Amino acid sequence: GVVDGIGTALFGNMAFTKGVPDRSNFNGYRMIRINEAPKAIDVHFVQNDTDPTGMGEPAYPPVFGALANALYKATGKRFYNQPFISSTE
């Protein structure tokens, strides 16, 4: 979920023209590559009484804010619009 979130935040851009996707297959959709993914990710589980509903999905949404904050700390510039990579080009 973390790696997918990073890839989507950086590269996930799906454009449409007159309601039709501009890309019709994954070969034209930029995804994160293995060499761009973090080499290590620390995951911590919080003990609670709630039944589990999934293990990958809960990490996905917070990645966008965490990555935006990391980019701000590294560059001094705020990133508000995704994909972030197009904001830096």
Side-chain angles (χ1 to χ4, degrees):
V2 172
V3 172
D4 192 29
I6 292 169
T8 302
L10 290 176
F11 310 114
N13 185 17
M14 181 59 81
F16 294 83
T17 302
K18 295 184 180 179
V20 178
D22 292 343
R23 294 175 186 93
S24 61
N25 202 343
F26 282 112
N27 67 339
Y29 182 79
R30 173 73 160 92
M31 298 178 78
I32 193 167
R33 292 173 173 82
I34 194 74
N35 65 322
E36 298 168 328
K39 299 207 182 326
I41 299 171
D42 290 328
V43 177
H44 304 271
F45 295 98
V46 176
Q47 183 70 32
N48 63 49
D49 295 327
T50 305
D51 291 335
T53 58
M55 298 308 286
E57 296 86 358
Y60 188 78
V63 168
F64 297 87
L67 183 57
N69 286 334
L71 289 169
Y72 172 69
K73 187 166 185 158
T75 67
K77 178 183 173 192
R78 286 281 181 200
F79 291 81
Y80 297 102
N81 301 308
Q82 290 131 11
F84 295 141
I85 201 74
S86 66
S87 300
T88 62
E89 295 178 339

